[in-house]
């Protein structure tokens, strides 16, 4: 599976450089947070239309792709260190969200599941 192959690639990269000792869950979460911040910075202050058009600029597209990759790499590494099966976790979360967000109650609406009962 692609996820496992990528996790192995990242783990090998880390191991070859002797960085495994630095990859504690806390440090990985902090690094992940920083990378999400760098990704957010690329979109900060843009209008909705500008944010949609951003990928049409090849220089900006490359920067977005790099930051998305950094976020994903740290997420892969965190899941690996914590022994989380990402595929199983995502599948379980989507099923849980399907229960929380019934189509007939949320279709076309941006509403939190905890507010659904109060709106009936």
């Amino acid at each position: 599976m692609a996820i496992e192959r990528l996790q192995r690639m990242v783990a090998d990269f880390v191991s070859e450089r002797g960085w495994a000792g630095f990859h504690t869950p806390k440090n990985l979460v902090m690094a992940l947070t920083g990378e999400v911040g760098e990704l957010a910075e690329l979109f900060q202050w843009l209008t909705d239309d500008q944010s949609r058009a951003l990928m049409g600029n090849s220089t900006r597209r490359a920067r977005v792709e790099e930051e998305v990759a950094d976020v994903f790499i740290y997420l892969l590494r965190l899941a690996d260190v914590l022994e989380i099966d990402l595929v199983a976790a995502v599948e379980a979360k989507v099923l849980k969200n399907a229960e929380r967000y019934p189509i007939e109650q949320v279709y076309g609406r941006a509403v939190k599941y905890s507010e659904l009962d109060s709106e009936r």
Side-chain angles (χ1 to χ4, degrees):
M1 175 170 283
I3 296 287
E4 292 162 348
R5 181 179 59 82
L6 291 172
Q7 281 182 310
R8 175 59 23 220
M9 180 188 293
V10 172
D12 289 346
F13 179 89
V14 168
S15 178
E16 290 164 355
R17 286 155 181 80
W19 292 347
F22 303 111
H23 285 198
T24 65
K26 179 201 71 83
N27 287 350
L28 290 167
V29 168
M30 299 299 288
L32 177 59
T33 301
E35 293 300 338
V36 169
E38 290 179 19
L39 177 61
E41 182 181 18
L42 298 175
F43 290 88
Q44 187 175 8
W45 311 122
L46 300 180
T47 65
D48 289 346
D49 289 339
Q50 289 170 327
S51 71
R52 287 185 189 97
L54 185 71
M55 298 304 280
N57 177 298
S58 62
T59 301
R60 289 186 174 173
R61 178 182 194 88
R63 290 187 62 207
V64 169
E65 287 176 354
E66 285 185 11
E67 295 308 332
V68 167
D70 285 341
V71 168
F72 193 53
I73 288 167
Y74 278 117
L75 183 60
L76 285 169
R77 185 71 181 137
L78 179 63
D80 192 24
V81 167
L82 294 175
E83 298 180 357
I84 294 171
D85 178 336
L86 277 172
V87 173
V90 169
E91 289 172 343
K93 185 64 177 183
V94 170
L95 291 174
K96 184 175 187 177
N97 283 343
E99 291 177 14
R100 285 181 170 174
Y101 296 98
I103 295 169
E104 62 279 357
Q105 290 183 38
V106 300
Y107 186 84
R109 298 173 56 213
V111 62
K112 182 134 175 100
Y113 69 89
S114 58
E115 298 173 9
L116 290 175
D117 289 336
S118 64
E119 293 185 9
R120 287 185 191 179

